[in-house]
Amino acid sequence: MIFDAIRESHDLQRDLCRKLTASRGDMAARQLLFLQLKVELMAHAAAEERFLYVPLLMEDGGLDSSRHALHEHHQVDELLEDLSVRNKQQDGWIATAKQLSFKVRHHLKEEETKFFHVAGRLLSDTKKQQLGSKYKREIVRMRKHYAAEFQTVAVSDATGLVKPAKVAADRPSTRGNARAGAQLRGKSEPRRTR
């Protein structure tokens, strides 16, 4: 069902917000947490808007709730933009991250306690199942789309979740390895030297 699928992302968002606002000192870890949260929030918003808000906008009883939820997504986007600076140590960054966390948690709670009830009344059980399947596929596709913008995060093929990407330093070195160098050049044998 669509609500269960959305709640999974909500739980992940809450966890990433908590970890981000508690981050201290290690700026590389803070940057990674921020990118994971940013990708999750953007992917979730895109999938949710397509497969929950749009169907509800077509119903008179869902107009106000959908408009309000879309407005809150826009507010989250603005805070993400404010936080998307190179220096995560600058004055006010963590305060803005806390504003984002508050806004996200407020939105999630409101969605789960009010919006889901409105949607539950307006959508048939069959429609909820169909939208849930589409949402699950779309959120993974959107995670991959947004994660591709960054070198330090990727999406797990096994889980469909955003994770730290393997960096170049994690890859085995081919320096000094003639056979590996030949493979990189598309040859079966290393170069012959005199």
Side-chain angles (χ1 to χ4, degrees):
M1 190 172 294
I2 184 123
F3 307 124
D4 297 329
I6 290 173
R7 276 190 190 96
E8 288 177 23
S9 178
H10 284 185
D11 290 343
L12 184 56
Q13 291 170 46
R14 286 183 183 101
D15 184 52
L16 289 168
C17 282
R18 181 186 53 74
K19 288 176 181 176
L20 181 65
T21 57
S23 67
R24 300 285 185 268
D26 185 353
M27 289 303 109
R30 180 179 283 178
Q31 172 68 10
L32 183 60
L33 282 168
F34 173 68
L35 289 179
Q36 287 177 282
L37 177 61
K38 183 176 181 175
V39 168
E40 185 63 27
L41 288 170
M42 293 186 320
H44 171 74
E48 186 176 61
E49 288 169 10
R50 287 182 183 144
F51 296 109
L52 184 58
Y53 296 177
V54 168
L56 290 176
L57 282 168
M58 301 301 158
E59 302 285 337
D60 290 341
L63 282 173
D64 290 338
S65 297
S66 296
R67 285 180 181 154
H68 178 73
L70 285 165
H71 173 70
E72 288 187 344
H73 278 193
H74 178 69
Q75 290 174 321
V76 167
D77 288 343
E78 288 176 341
L79 287 167
L80 284 172
E81 186 65 31
D82 291 345
L83 292 168
S84 295
V85 295
R86 184 178 292 289
N87 182 2
K88 305 288 189 265
Q89 285 182 306
Q90 70 187 21
D91 292 340
W93 194 91
I94 200 71
T96 305
K98 287 180 180 180
Q99 285 178 345
L100 173 67
S101 177
F102 177 80
K103 176 52 79 180
V104 167
R105 287 182 287 114
H106 163 80
H107 173 70
L108 302 181
K109 182 179 179 184
E110 194 170 72
E111 227 173 41
E112 291 171 355
T113 59
K114 295 177 184 173
F115 192 78
F116 284 5
H117 293 290
V118 170
R121 286 193 315 268
L122 295 174
L123 300 172
S124 69
D125 288 342
T126 303
K127 188 71 169 174
K128 290 175 205 171
Q129 291 295 340
Q130 291 170 344
L131 293 172
S133 297
K134 291 177 181 180
Y135 171 87
K136 286 178 185 179
R137 283 190 304 274
E138 184 68 2
I139 193 167
V140 172
R141 188 180 80 77
M142 294 310 298
R143 284 172 181 151
K144 289 178 180 180
H145 170 77
Y146 289 119
E149 295 178 24
F150 309 105
Q151 294 177 347
T152 55
V153 293
V155 176
S156 167
D157 289 331
T159 65
L161 299 175
V162 181
K163 63 178 181 131
K166 290 189 177 187
V167 293
D170 291 344
R171 295 188 189 121
S173 173
T174 58
R175 185 166 180 82
N177 183 331
R179 210 167 276 298
Q183 288 175 340
L184 285 174
R185 290 189 310 277
K187 307 291 182 188
S188 59
E189 291 295 320
R191 290 184 186 140
R192 301 240 181 241
T193 58
R194 291 180 216 204

